Amino acid sequence: MKKLIMAGMTVLMMACQGENQAFHYDEVTYSPHETVFKLFAPADAACSVVVGSDSIPMKLGKDSIWTAKVKGDRKSQQYEFIVNGQASPGVFAKAVTVNGKKGVVVDLKDTDPEGWETDRHVLRPYQDMMVYEMHHRDFSIARPDAKYPGKYLALTEPWAVEHLKELGINAIHILPSYDFGSVDETRLNEPQYNWGYDPVNYNVPEGSYATDPYSPEVRIREFKQMVQSLHKAGISVILDVVYNHTFDIEHSNFQKTYPDYYYRKTEEGYSNGSGCGNETASEQPMMRRFMIESVKYWINEYHIDGFRFDLMGVHDIETMNAIRKAVDEIDPTILIYGEGWSAGQCAYPQVKLGIKANISQMPRIAAFSDEIRDGLRGPFDDDTKAAWLGAGIRIFKSSDLAGFKESVKFGIVGAIAHPQVDMTLVNYSKKPWATEPTQMMSYVSCHDDMCLFDRLKTSLPGVSKEELIRLDLLAQTTVFTSQGVPFMLSGEEMLRTKKGVQNSFESPDSINHLDWNNKEQYPQVFNYYKGLTALRAHHPSFRLGKAELVRKHLEFLDAPEKTLVFRLKDHAGDDPWRNIIVILNANRSSVEVSIPQGRYTQVCVNGVIDEKGLGEIEGGSVTVSAQSALILHD
């Protein structure tokens, strides 16, 4: 990193080490008698705060912290910090006006829904998590009986909770739900859509998902009601956080309060490792402090149970580990995972960044496995290319097919070292990057790129819908029987389609919405997904959680080229089933597969799952239907 503004760096380093440990980015501390305003800003700046109609000069204290104490009850009054003529609500506003332009003084106790004091985190061992990624509008905007379509409160409605519980997932990953910049909250009667990866106010819920974006308290209360509803249903809530960049630089609250401190720069200008025009500098002491305190705030105030870090590869390892440590002091079972890559070259040494290759240096932080994803469906940079799922349809070079298959095997074991995985054949990674299988998120689709059905259809042109459904189920069987933490995109359980759109971040509802008619149209798909979650929940063999247990109990058996066979043996994880065999067949026709002798009960056969059994067979040789999974146990 070159020519980064260095003025005052010695003083700034002290901001995370000295007397301001108590600062914690509490920019506004309310009481009925006095409200205290604090701000981190340059020592040579002119700083004031405008509260209601009053303009109050701020006084410089140690470590570039400016303070103003405003007498009287200032609850519900708007405020702005003014730094060298630039107005903003600061970087850690907790309540804002419509579109987040100004901060608002609130007593957060007033925003608590009834019974909030008894709401508790829903936490479980990482290996037990089954994560469902959801966008608020996608999930409920087209639901005919939704009272609050597209809003936080949709997830308090019986139909929503019942669907999630019936599906059997136990963790909801909600796409960015802080105050973001791409949707105008004053024009919600007009069509607008965005995923929300454009942060404005990181610590305030987005107003467009609230029933009244003009009320600072409403968006906070309704977000809490959503969390409370999911917690009552036993479902964890994971927040998608985007600390790696801001909506822009010129208008960002970071830049308006302390110019250029929060961003990385090169000789050419602002670095763009995020692909969004800027990248934040997590290694800066007060940016690191900001991230730590923001995560803690969402945990303590909103009872969030986990975090997904967008482009985690932009952040430095030290910061991610500091966040993990701070979270552990609250509860070590809170899940943290992220994208183990950046979108471009960062102005910081790669060996110090939170990329996938460095996950072993970040204990109990997980990353997505693009090895299992692309090994199953095809490469991220070309939607027309297929991979192992298309092995029975497309013609591949044997070296390519071997790479796909070994990449899937690497995902099945949870990206750890395993004696039967040949890392020289694995795509992308040539050495294991996870120390424990819980450091790997297993998935085949997410909000990025095409959804699963569309990707299969695009990479396998001319294939029938029946085949596409079989391959869809085969893909998710691989994900949910892997030793990583399984992750799925909402709507896949209903054969979701985005009509072939590859990047739908600002596509209309007509592209992004879940078509709830599909649940009735494709009941076999929903029932199969429901069976997968139940199978994983009821059988610890599929979620051993520890690398040594995976190496001890999971073994791959010899299999024909376009099939994968593995056994979970000897009551793995104290499973009531002694030996479980999973056979994944990508062939377009049925195949004969050799398995150890014995008498087995089939629980997954040709697109149907039933733990009670689907018939018994003798071992030695079994027939596996085309493009399907066979799961059996003795």
Side-chain angles (χ1 to χ4, degrees):
M1 183 168 51
K2 301 175 182 178
K3 290 189 175 179
L4 182 66
I5 292 179
M6 299 297 290
M9 283 301 296
T10 302
V11 172
L12 298 182
M13 288 294 291
M14 291 173 61
C16 276
Q17 300 168 357
E19 296 180 12
N20 284 307
Q21 287 291 335
F23 175 48
H24 295 311
Y25 270 114
D26 277 338
E27 292 178 333
V28 180
T29 306
Y30 165 79
S31 79
H33 309 292
E34 176 185 75
T35 299
V36 179
F37 295 85
K38 292 185 178 181
L39 189 69
F40 175 63
D44 59 354
C47 296
S48 61
V49 61
V50 178
V51 189
S53 59
D54 299 326
S55 179
I56 298 99
M58 302 186 78
K59 295 181 180 180
L60 177 64
K62 292 184 178 180
D63 304 339
S64 291
I65 305 300
W66 294 78
T67 303
K69 296 181 179 180
V70 184
K71 300 297 182 181
D73 192 344
R74 297 289 177 153
K75 186 163 68 172
S76 300
Q77 291 190 8
Q78 298 178 11
Y79 69 88
E80 287 182 295
F81 293 106
I82 312 296
V83 180
N84 290 338
Q86 292 279 348
S88 78
V91 302
F92 210 104
K94 298 175 181 177
V96 294
T97 59
V98 67
N99 281 331
K101 298 298 184 184
K102 295 183 179 182
V104 180
V105 179
V106 295
D107 184 345
L108 285 165
K109 292 181 180 178
D110 294 343
T111 68
D112 292 348
E114 184 178 353
W116 186 244
E117 68 280 0
T118 62
D119 182 75
R120 295 291 180 269
H121 292 285
V122 177
L123 302 169
R124 46 181 59 86
Y126 305 144
Q127 64 267 25
D128 294 352
M129 292 282 210
M130 291 182 279
V131 182
Y132 184 86
E133 183 193 46
M134 172 197 297
H135 184 277
H136 293 289
R137 287 187 70 87
D138 294 3
F139 185 71
S140 58
I141 198 68
R143 175 77 184 195
D145 55 342
K147 184 178 179 182
Y148 300 104
K151 304 298 183 183
Y152 298 123
L153 291 182
L155 290 171
T156 69
E157 297 184 54
W159 65 267
V161 175
E162 288 166 8
H163 173 79
L164 298 171
K165 290 180 70 175
E166 184 185 11
L167 176 59
I169 54 86
N170 56 29
I172 297 294
H173 162 157
I174 49 176
L175 262 64
S177 300
Y178 50 70
D179 183 48
F180 55 81
S182 51
V183 171
D184 187 344
E185 296 170 4
T186 68
R187 299 188 297 112
L188 297 183
N189 58 324
E190 302 174 19
Q192 296 183 79
Y193 184 95
N194 205 281
W195 284 340
Y197 290 93
D198 45 2
V200 175
N201 293 293
Y202 284 90
N203 301 293
V204 185
E206 163 63 15
S208 66
Y209 301 141
T211 59
D212 183 2
Y214 290 89
S215 168
E217 293 84 6
V218 164
R219 65 176 74 189
I220 298 173
R221 183 179 301 109
E222 291 180 350
F223 190 102
K224 290 178 177 178
Q225 287 177 270
M226 172 193 70
V227 172
Q228 185 180 44
S229 169
L230 292 168
H231 281 176
K232 285 180 179 178
I235 297 172
S236 306
V237 182
I238 297 168
L239 192 64
D240 199 325
V241 288
V242 188
Y243 298 113
N244 66 85
H245 69 273
T246 55
F247 183 46
D248 64 8
I249 293 178
E250 180 185 358
H251 301 99
S252 81
N253 298 329
F254 286 153
Q255 193 72 346
K256 287 181 177 180
T257 56
Y258 208 121
D260 288 357
Y261 175 81
Y262 293 96
Y263 298 98
R264 294 184 183 135
K265 299 186 77 174
T266 67
E267 290 180 346
E268 290 73 37
Y270 294 100
S271 185
N272 188 24
S274 70
C276 299
N278 64 85
E279 75 187 64
T280 54
S282 58
E283 70 280 4
Q284 290 281 61
M286 289 300 274
M287 182 61 195
R288 179 177 294 159
R289 170 65 65 79
F290 173 82
M291 293 172 65
I292 293 170
E293 296 303 327
S294 177
V295 165
K296 288 168 60 178
Y297 178 68
W298 283 104
I299 294 171
N300 292 325
E301 185 64 36
Y302 290 95
H303 302 179
I304 292 298
D305 307 300
F307 297 87
R308 178 265 193 192
F309 280 77
D310 185 64
L311 294 180
M312 186 170 67
V314 171
H315 303 314
D316 68 294
I317 295 169
E318 187 176 348
T319 294
M320 291 306 303
N321 284 335
I323 291 170
R324 179 73 265 179
K325 181 181 178 182
V327 170
D328 285 350
E329 291 173 359
I330 300 171
D331 196 308
T333 53
I334 289 172
L335 181 65
I336 295 178
Y337 59 96
E339 293 180 296
W341 45 77
S342 61
Q345 185 174 354
C346 295
Y348 203 69
Q350 194 172 55
V351 295
K352 295 184 177 182
L353 292 173
I355 58 175
K356 186 178 62 174
N358 295 333
I359 284 294
S360 62
Q361 300 177 52
M362 300 157 61
R364 291 180 307 104
I365 295 176
F368 289 95
S369 171
D370 48 354
E371 292 90 3
I372 191 171
R373 180 197 70 192
D374 293 2
L376 285 167
R377 69 171 203 191
F380 71 95
D381 56 356
D382 190 342
D383 293 327
T384 66
K385 290 184 178 179
W388 189 79
L389 288 170
I393 301 170
R394 300 282 290 267
I395 297 174
F396 295 110
K397 293 188 296 184
S398 28
S399 59
D400 289 341
L401 191 55
F404 300 148
K405 187 172 183 176
E406 212 66 21
S407 298
V408 175
K409 288 173 62 180
F410 181 57
I412 287 171
V413 303
I416 63 167
H418 189 284
Q420 290 180 287
V421 176
D422 184 351
M423 293 304 301
T424 66
L425 297 177
V426 173
N427 295 330
Y428 309 149
S429 297
K430 296 307 175 185
K431 62 179 182 179
W433 48 263
T435 305
E436 302 290 358
T438 49
Q439 287 185 287
M440 190 203 85
M441 304 300 293
S442 178
Y443 77 125
V444 73
S445 65
C446 66
H447 69 277
D448 276 328
D449 303 326
M450 290 184 176
C451 53
L452 180 56
F453 180 83
D454 289 349
R455 176 58 191 258
L456 292 170
K457 187 176 181 180
T458 301
S459 61
L460 302 169
V463 175
S464 68
K465 181 174 284 188
E466 181 184 13
E467 277 191 283
L468 291 173
I469 290 174
R470 289 204 298 266
L471 291 171
D472 178 292
L473 303 185
L474 182 61
Q476 296 292 11
T477 307
T478 311
V479 168
F480 276 82
T481 59
S482 80
Q483 292 296 319
V485 178
F487 174 105
M488 64 173 285
L489 174 65
S490 66
E492 301 286 25
E493 74 276 18
M494 296 180 277
L495 210 65
R496 182 178 188 173
T497 177
K498 295 184 185 179
K499 302 178 182 178
V501 175
Q502 193 268 351
N503 188 0
S504 66
F505 77 100
E506 58 181 1
S507 297
D509 291 329
S510 59
I511 297 296
N512 283 304
H513 76 283
L514 300 195
D515 185 348
W516 287 90
N517 293 320
N518 279 13
K519 188 175 180 181
E520 305 302 322
Q521 188 174 355
Y522 304 108
Q524 76 276 30
V525 174
F526 181 79
N527 288 333
Y528 191 90
Y529 276 62
K530 182 171 66 172
L532 278 176
T533 61
L535 196 64
R536 186 177 182 92
H538 297 157
H539 293 281
S541 287
F542 298 114
R543 43 186 176 83
L544 295 172
K546 292 293 183 182
E548 66 268 22
L549 292 178
V550 175
R551 286 187 283 266
K552 178 180 179 181
H553 292 286
L554 190 154
E555 65 176 349
F556 292 97
L557 306 180
D558 291 338
E561 184 180 50
K562 299 172 186 177
T563 61
L564 265 167
V565 183
F566 63 93
R567 177 168 66 165
L568 296 157
K569 60 184 182 180
D570 302 330
H571 296 287
D574 294 325
D575 201 300
W577 293 349
R578 183 172 61 183
N579 295 293
I580 303 172
I581 295 177
V582 178
I583 307 174
L584 308 167
N585 176 24
N587 286 278
R588 216 169 188 175
S589 57
S590 60
V591 295
E592 293 292 319
V593 176
S594 297
I595 62 171
Q597 292 288 343
R599 188 159 186 81
Y600 295 90
T601 300
Q602 302 176 105
V603 294
C604 174
V605 184
N606 197 21
V608 178
I609 296 176
D610 188 341
E611 288 180 71
K612 295 178 181 178
L614 295 163
E616 294 188 347
I617 58 172
E618 292 291 338
S621 179
V622 293
T623 301
V624 188
S625 300
Q627 298 164 323
S628 75
L630 175 64
I631 302 177
L632 31 85
H633 71 88
D634 64 1

